[in-house]
């Protein structure tokens, strides 16, 4: 029997759903699905079955407290440090640097609206060869 992932979307509240979706599209490589740039939502589709999309819904208020849930990002190619640099170029900022001298650890970052996520060591650094 095939497994069906029950998580359809991971949803973010957003002041500007399309700007936030463009940021996360740059992070994940997921394309922005057809939607109204001035609309109430934006969706990034992963393009493969069983993988949740990222949904961004317009809300009137800004983020005010720490996330209760966050995503851990593992770069599929390259290193954690190169990914942190790339994401900073997309507008992310470093919130807390938890890298250790032995090369382990992670970097806590926030997207353009303050939603936190962690960047872990890349797949190559972990010895995981992407399929």
């Amino acid at each position: 029997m095939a497994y069906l992932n029950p998580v359809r979307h991971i949803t973010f509240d957003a002041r500007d759903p399309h700007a936030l979706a463009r940021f996360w599209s740059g992070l994940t490589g997921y394309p922005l699905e057809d939607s109204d740039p001035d609309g109430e939502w934006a969706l990034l589709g992963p393009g493969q079955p069983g993988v949740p999309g990222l949904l961004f819904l317009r809300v009137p208020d800004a983020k005010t407290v720490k996330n209760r849930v966050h995503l851990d990002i593992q770069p599929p190619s390259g290193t954690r440090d190169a990914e942190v640099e790339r994401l900073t170029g997309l507008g992310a900022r470093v919130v807390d640097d938890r890298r250790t001298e032995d090369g382990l650890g992670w970097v806590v970052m926030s997207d353009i609206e303050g939603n936190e996520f962690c960047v872990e060591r890349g797949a190559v650094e972990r010895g995981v060869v992407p399929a």
Side-chain angles (χ1 to χ4, degrees):
M1 183 171 132
Y3 173 76
L4 177 62
N5 185 347
V7 179
R8 183 168 177 225
H9 298 125
I10 299 168
T11 303
F12 293 74
D13 289 347
R15 298 286 307 260
D16 184 341
H18 287 270
L20 194 54
R22 284 190 303 273
F23 170 85
W24 282 92
S25 177
L27 188 153
T28 63
Y30 291 6
L32 179 62
E33 293 194 356
D34 190 25
S35 59
D36 178 5
D38 297 318
E40 297 300 306
W41 59 274
L43 177 63
L44 300 181
Q48 51 188 308
V51 177
L54 301 180
L55 179 62
F56 304 87
L57 299 176
R58 186 178 308 279
V59 298
D61 47 315
K63 179 184 173 288
T64 58
V65 296
K66 184 181 182 318
N67 299 14
R68 295 289 304 263
V69 174
H70 70 268
L71 301 181
D72 290 336
I73 305 301
Q74 175 183 265
S77 63
T79 66
R80 174 198 53 222
D81 298 346
E83 185 71 353
V84 167
E85 197 170 313
R86 184 181 81 82
L87 297 176
T88 300
L90 291 176
R93 69 178 188 83
V94 173
V95 174
D96 189 15
D97 193 333
R98 298 288 186 96
R99 291 176 275 200
T100 60
E101 289 182 22
D102 61 2
L104 300 176
W106 61 93
V107 178
V108 180
M109 301 188 79
S110 66
D111 67 22
I112 61 173
E113 289 200 8
N115 300 300
E116 294 172 5
F117 60 95
C118 293
V119 180
E120 298 181 346
R121 291 182 304 145
V124 173
E125 293 172 297
R126 291 175 179 274
V128 177
V129 178

